[in-house]
Amino acid sequence: MSEVNIVDRTLTGAELLAAAAAEVKSWPFVSASRARQVTWVAGEYTRALAHPGHPLGDATSVDEVFTRGPVDAYLRLARTGQLRVRQAADPSKGSDNSEQIRLEVLKLLVTACGAEDAAELPPQPDPPSKQPVAKRPRSLLRAQLTELADAPDATTSQLRMLAVGAVVSDTGIRAGEMCARTIEDLSPTLEELRVVRRPQGWSESEAYTELLAFSGLSRAALKRWLPERQLLLTRVGGTATALWVSLHGNHHGGQAVPAGTPLMPRGLARAWTRAVTETNIEMAGQPSWEPLPTRMEQLRRGVKPKALAAPMQPDAEKAAELLDDVAARGRALAELCRTGEENSTAELQARITVRQAVRAAWAEGIEHAVQLSVLADAGLPDDASLAAAGWEPVLLAAIDRGRGWGRPSKAAAAV
């Protein structure tokens, strides 16, 4: 993690923990919720050093504070509620989830202190098991989402809910991973999604990328959601690449925030619950309707997605080769479209090969706009010819909105 600056190792006790917490919270990949957890754990451990039940005091050094005995003493005091600022109703009850968070944060503090050689943290507790959704309820869930996909009068809220539900039930990704997705993460054919995975207690070096396959339901849901998303972006200035956006205006920090701004994890979860509750009430009594789950977490249980590994960043040499292949395949298709018989075997085969080349370039992480520029130079400049090359028109519109015009032909038309 090149962003890490080791804190002053001559600091002790409370000053050392405060400096380590400030360093961790300065890292660009630490979320606001994780920063709050860092403040909480550093505060707890500071109070532990002043507690008579802890073996160390405020003069403790960086080489002592993260060793096994003092850490176990801190966790024991925290687990029994002796480090709380406010007294709990039942201090004897500790949460496995709280213990896991404490250990994750301690690992980050160790890194900030450069104390990996001296530290000895206890192992992470096994997370509590969650009952997976059985096959029949999961099939009913997909049936309900399919019914919504077929409804011509579905509201914008329901269409977003449909797309979210379908994507989560296909991929099993978390709310935070969902909110981080942009239109760049959708494959040109809307058949796959790129997801950056960050394990709990992760560091930057531990993140990895996967490509997850979509079902026909997710593709249909996204084809209906993306045009609605486009309408919501009318008041949003600048680039707009987030896949999931708000339906209504709001206020943040005293400033008006228009509809179409990116959703955050809590907002996404609340939006899902609100839309599902409304839909369940509206559909109650319908012969085939079974209520949808009101928590997004319930959609993830039991999902085993088809996943392929992908690079975090494109390899420059490989990317150049892949773009050369996209250009060559694009030129071949463009030539057949000009001179060959429409829908001939040769043209259909050319469509397949250019789609394969485009997909390989996307999987490497090459941006949509870069590929579209290459294809335009190859003779495939408009939506119709790009559709023959596998690009979904609704995605092309989203790319145009997110990247300016996105394609040379449209840039020229705008001049």
Side-chain angles (χ1 to χ4, degrees):
M1 297 189 297
S2 59
E3 301 89 349
V4 173
N5 294 311
I6 302 303
V7 303
D8 183 355
R9 290 173 58 86
T10 65
L11 295 174
T12 61
E15 289 185 345
L16 174 67
L17 292 170
E23 169 59 25
V24 171
K25 291 188 288 186
S26 75
W27 298 343
F29 49 84
V30 170
S31 67
S33 60
R34 177 62 91 192
R36 289 192 293 271
Q37 293 167 356
V38 170
T39 300
W40 164 55
V41 171
E44 272 195 337
Y45 207 163
T46 297
R47 292 191 291 277
L49 294 177
H51 194 282
H54 197 276
L56 302 178
D58 195 49
T60 185
S61 71
V62 67
D63 291 328
E64 297 174 301
V65 71
F66 299 115
T67 54
R68 184 61 180 266
V71 169
D72 281 343
Y74 154 59
L75 294 174
R76 182 173 59 255
L77 291 169
R79 195 182 304 121
T80 54
Q82 298 182 61
L83 303 177
R84 290 179 180 270
V85 176
R86 297 177 182 176
Q87 189 67 19
D90 187 352
S92 66
K93 289 187 177 179
S95 162
D96 287 340
N97 185 55
S98 295
E99 184 98 339
Q100 185 169 341
I101 291 171
R102 290 185 179 104
L103 288 170
E104 290 170 0
V105 170
L106 286 173
K107 182 179 176 183
L108 297 175
L109 295 176
V110 166
T111 301
C113 292
E116 291 89 342
D117 291 341
E120 185 185 2
L121 301 181
Q124 289 275 3
D126 292 332
S129 59
K130 295 179 179 179
Q131 187 67 27
V133 177
K135 287 185 178 180
R136 175 161 172 73
R138 181 161 293 283
S139 65
L140 286 173
L141 167 65
R142 297 191 71 83
Q144 306 316 112
L145 292 172
T146 301
E147 186 170 334
L148 280 177
D150 293 336
D153 56 348
T155 65
T156 301
S157 175
Q158 288 175 328
L159 290 175
R160 185 182 64 181
M161 180 192 74
L162 163 66
V164 167
V167 168
V168 173
S169 63
D170 273 351
T171 64
I173 65 176
R174 298 179 175 89
E177 294 168 336
M178 282 283 283
C179 290
R181 304 283 58 81
T182 72
I183 55 174
E184 288 290 338
D185 295 314
L186 295 171
S187 72
T189 57
L190 298 185
E191 293 179 319
E192 293 172 282
L193 179 71
R194 179 187 292 106
V195 178
V196 178
R197 299 288 200 180
R198 294 186 168 94
Q200 290 184 336
W202 64 282
S203 67
E204 186 79 353
S205 61
E206 294 170 333
Y208 61 95
T209 303
E210 288 185 331
L211 306 180
L212 305 176
F214 279 151
S215 66
L217 175 59
S218 283
R219 293 195 294 275
L222 286 167
K223 287 179 185 179
R224 295 196 67 183
W225 160 241
L226 288 175
E228 297 292 326
R229 171 188 174 277
Q230 196 83 342
L231 294 174
L232 292 166
L233 295 175
T234 53
R235 294 183 59 196
V236 176
T239 60
T241 61
L243 180 55
W244 309 110
V245 300
S246 61
L247 304 185
H248 307 288
N250 208 330
H251 286 81
H252 182 72
Q255 298 291 322
V257 179
T261 53
L263 281 177
M264 296 294 105
R266 289 186 180 182
L268 179 64
R270 286 195 297 265
W272 168 264
T273 299
R274 184 167 54 249
V276 165
T277 300
E278 292 172 356
T279 301
N280 284 339
I281 292 172
E282 180 184 332
M283 299 294 287
Q286 297 291 328
S288 61
W289 187 259
E290 292 288 335
L292 291 168
T294 56
R295 292 179 60 245
M296 284 185 61
E297 172 65 22
Q298 294 170 277
L299 301 177
R300 297 180 54 243
R301 298 183 192 174
V303 175
K304 296 180 180 179
K306 298 176 182 177
L308 296 173
M312 289 287 288
Q313 298 290 337
D315 176 83
E317 185 175 340
K318 185 174 181 181
E321 294 175 357
L322 291 170
L323 285 174
D324 286 344
D325 192 39
V326 169
R329 304 295 183 182
R331 284 192 296 271
L333 176 59
E335 180 64 21
L336 283 169
C337 289
R338 282 194 302 269
T339 63
E341 181 183 346
E342 187 177 0
N343 295 327
S344 65
T345 301
E347 183 187 336
L348 293 176
Q349 184 60 41
R351 290 187 181 195
I352 292 172
T353 56
V354 74
R355 291 182 185 201
Q356 291 171 339
V358 164
R359 190 269 174 193
W362 169 80
E364 181 64 21
I366 297 172
E367 292 183 351
H368 290 326
V370 173
Q371 287 210 65
L372 292 170
S373 179
V374 168
L375 289 170
D377 291 341
L380 303 174
D382 53 38
D383 286 3
S385 60
L386 289 169
W391 292 81
E392 282 292 340
V394 290
L395 180 60
L396 292 174
I399 295 167
D400 281 344
R401 177 60 184 84
R403 297 278 183 154
W405 287 113
R407 296 199 290 283
S409 61
K410 293 217 170 182
V415 175

